[in-house]
Every structure is written in structure tokens, then in C-alpha cells.
Amino acid sequence: SKAGGMLVGRLSEQASRHCKEMNAQATANTLWALAKLRHTPTEWEAKQLIKNAEHKAGGYNPQNIANLMWAMSKLSILPPPELRDKVNARILATSHDFSAQAIANTLQAYSVMGIIPSDTALEALCDRAVLTSGSFGAMGVCMMIRSLDVLQVLGSKPHHRIWSELARQAQTSYNDMHLLGVGQTLIALGRSPTKPKDMLVESLCERAAELRGDMDGLNIATLLKGLVSVGFVSPPEELMEAVSERGVVVEWQVEDARVALQALGSMGVDSPQLMDLLQTKVEGT
């Protein structure tokens, strides 16, 4: 409501004026709350809050770090170099206390902002992730794989141990993955420093076929791109039947149609009705 928005705006202003009085936890939680409320601070407010975040960084624990970085990613505020350096230092100092969820949220925030932790901070988080990997669950595994893929594309060093461990966890949790997560996982695994086992790829294909009712243009395009990424040129017949069946009835965005058409062509899949529909969509732009 308008009144609610005015209240949040007033609270944001007051928090910015009095942020020097906040401790490390309150500093991180304030930015987290603003992000949850989808309230973007004014330029002046953001400057005060970020400056205070730098001053209080020495007291951050893992949850504070995860909340802070998540909030900045949601508010589209890039942390300045001084804050990044201090966060990297706190990650190194507290990595042994990070939970699986805090690791996943922190790395996802970095990937969304398009920035990379220091090599030592990322290594510390990856080492901790290996030790806590059994706690990730399907969503956490998908988040980790996607985030590490983005960070790797941005130039981070590959960490073979965590990729191998995440692939192992994906094998145990694939039955709980949503369809978009399956496709994104396949894309990332195809670009990972360790080749995924055929058994894992087959399991993910099986899960995708089970979720045929959730297939839309984006999900299908992502899935097909993932199959090409892992080099799976002969996907299971059941999966391709589901793709062909759903692909001709769902709505397609032009870019998704282009990706799907290219992937189908790369795999040599025989689905003339779907490919004709996609070609028409692409050529209609």
C-alpha cells in the first residue's frame, strides 16, 4: 500500500541517519530487510548504509555476510572495493562456521552481482561446501552449481573437489529438482572442470520427463541447451516425446525458440512439427 511504502521509506531514512549506532548484525539485517521489502534506498541512504557496512565488517559472522551480500544483490548495489576486501577477510576468518545455506546464498549473491570473491575466500567457501554438502538438498545443489558456473565464466579458478561433490549430491537429490533447475544444472555441469557421469545425466533426463506438465518454452529451451552442453546427443525417447508433445502447445519467446531450435539441430532430433513451429517463430521476428 501507499501508506506502507511511505512508512518503509521513513524507516529507511531513519536507519541511514542512525546506522553508526548499529552493530554488525543490525547493519546486515537492515539492508536485508530493505531488500525483502523491495525498497531501494535513496542514493544518500545507500551511501550511509554501505559506509557503515564497511566500518562494521570486522564483526560479521557467516549469516551476516550471507544476508549482506544477498541484500546488495537484490538492491542492485555493487559493494565498493573496500567492502569487498573486508568481506573476503571475514569469509576467511569465519569459513569454518558457514552453513550450507549461507554458502549457497553468498555465492549466489556474488554471481548475481557479477563479481568474484578473492581466490582464497572462494577456495575457503568451496572447501567448507564439500564438508557440508550433505545439507544442501536439491535447491541448494542447483544454486551452488549455477553460481559456481557463473563465477567460473566470470574468471574464477575451477575447484574440482566441489564440482565432483555437487555432482554426487545431484545424483542423490535429483528427484526433488524443479524443471528449470534440471536444465540449468545440465548446462553448468557441461561447462564444469569435471565431466558428469552418464548415470547423473540419465537421472536428470528421467526427472525432466516426469515433469512434462511443467514444460514451457523457457524450461524446454534450457533443458535442450543443457543436453547439448553435456554432450548428450541421444536423449531418451521418453524425454524427447515429452518435449515434442509440449513444445507445440506452449507459448514461445523468440530467444527461447532460437535456443531450442539450435539445440534440436545439434542433436539431430527428428521432431519436424516442433522444429517447423520454432523456425516460424524465429523467422517471424
Side-chain angles (χ1 to χ4, degrees), residues 84-110:
R84 295 187 207 180
D85 290 343
K86 291 182 177 181
V87 169
N88 283 328
R90 288 305 294 167
I91 289 174
L92 286 172
T94 63
S95 61
H96 57 282
D97 290 327
F98 268 78
S99 66
Q101 188 64 53
I103 296 170
N105 288 346
T106 300
L107 291 181
Q108 184 185 52
Y110 273 104

Side-chain angles (χ1 to χ4, degrees), residues 103-242:
I103 296 170
N105 288 346
T106 300
L107 291 181
Q108 184 185 52
Y110 273 104
S111 70
V112 169
M113 290 187 285
I115 58 177
I116 308 172
S118 68
D119 289 344
T120 51
L122 182 56
E123 183 176 4
L125 288 176
C126 287
D127 287 346
R128 179 61 179 166
V130 170
L131 295 176
T132 60
S133 60
S135 301
F136 279 121
M139 182 177 294
V141 168
C142 289
M143 284 175 61
M144 284 290 294
I145 289 176
R146 173 63 176 158
S147 298
L148 287 173
D149 178 47
V150 172
L151 294 177
Q152 189 169 278
V153 171
L154 291 171
S156 70
K157 294 181 179 179
H159 294 265
H160 295 261
R161 284 183 62 216
I162 184 57
W163 278 104
S164 297
E165 183 58 29
L166 287 172
R168 191 174 74 83
Q169 291 300 323
Q171 182 64 65
T172 64
S173 62
Y174 72 90
N175 273 322
D176 294 321
M177 289 185 182
H178 56 76
L179 188 55
L180 185 60
V182 170
Q184 291 175 337
T185 296
L186 286 167
I187 292 172
L189 288 174
R191 295 195 291 229
S192 73
T194 56
K195 185 180 184 300
K197 295 180 179 179
D198 288 346
M199 180 180 177
L200 172 56
V201 177
E202 290 167 0
S203 295
L204 291 171
C205 288
E206 177 184 315
R207 176 60 175 165
E210 292 174 353
L211 297 172
R212 67 171 64 203
D214 296 336
M215 288 183 178
D216 58 21
L218 173 61
N219 289 336
I220 293 173
T222 304
L223 177 62
L224 293 175
K225 184 177 180 180
L227 292 173
V228 172
S229 179
V230 296
F232 211 55
V233 294
S234 298
E237 184 176 336
E238 180 184 4
L239 175 58
M240 294 317 300
E241 285 179 355

